[in-house]
Amino acid sequence: MKHYRPDRKCLHALRLIISLITALLLAAVYYFITVRLLVVLLSAIIGSAAFFMMFAYLPLFISSIKYTATDTEILKTSGVFIKIHQSIKYSSIQYVTVVTTPLSQYTGLNFIIYFVYGGQLRLLFLDHEDAMEILQLSGIREEE
């Protein structure tokens, strides 16, 4: 049995992505809306939501994720407000999708999606080496 945690570098990448999206939304608000009071109100709402996501919710969410790989199955535990426990047996896997991003060794944005009978299990924000190790444990070879 081996335990895995998300790569902490993904938090910085997600914060950067949220900051860029927030800047684009604020620019759109300032460009398209002419009522000054509405612009200020929407800017405050968008800024507050982005701040909450970047510095409150995302750190809690990422620290709540835990993956456990055994000889026969993989278990996922996650959730900030509501805890979710999921598990699948390796024998029930139909196919696997591995998603890696450019510079994924620096961003931690590596994902494994196991498709099983009637559903899927997403392993999010893995370190590249951990993702390849989990694939090997599940009996699936990754071609590079």
Side-chain angles (χ1 to χ4, degrees):
M1 180 181 322
K2 186 157 182 190
H3 300 285
Y4 298 94
R5 292 277 186 183
D7 190 359
R8 295 296 294 178
K9 293 180 276 190
C10 71
L11 188 58
H12 303 300
L14 291 173
R15 284 179 176 162
L16 179 64
I17 291 168
I18 290 172
S19 297
L20 292 173
I21 291 171
T22 302
L24 288 173
L25 284 174
L26 291 176
V29 165
Y30 281 108
Y31 183 76
F32 290 113
I33 298 177
T34 58
V35 179
R36 187 74 177 152
L37 181 62
L38 192 57
V39 168
V40 171
L41 182 64
L42 286 174
S43 298
I45 290 171
I46 292 169
S48 299
F51 186 82
F52 173 76
M53 283 295 291
M54 288 191 296
F55 298 107
Y57 183 75
L58 277 178
L60 289 173
F61 177 70
I62 290 173
S63 66
S64 75
I65 299 173
K66 181 174 121 179
Y67 308 114
T68 305
T70 66
D71 293 337
T72 59
E73 66 182 350
I74 187 158
L75 299 103
K76 174 185 174 184
T77 304
S78 65
V80 175
F81 303 114
I82 298 172
K83 292 290 184 188
I84 298 171
H85 302 278
Q86 296 174 298
S87 69
I88 60 166
K89 294 198 179 295
Y90 296 135
S91 60
S92 67
I93 296 173
Q94 290 180 312
Y95 64 95
V96 176
T97 300
V98 179
V99 180
T100 58
T101 59
L103 304 172
S104 63
Q105 66 269 22
Y106 303 115
T107 61
L109 298 178
N110 298 297
F111 312 105
I112 299 175
I113 305 169
Y114 288 111
F115 293 90
V116 296
Y117 305 114
Q120 55 182 271
L121 177 68
R122 294 183 188 116
L123 306 180
L124 308 173
F125 311 121
L126 291 166
D127 183 58
H128 190 266
E129 289 79 26
D130 288 346
M132 296 307 121
E133 187 175 333
I134 289 172
L135 284 175
Q136 286 179 343
L137 285 173
S138 63
I140 298 162
R141 284 189 13 202
E142 173 65 19
E143 302 294 330
E144 301 250 356

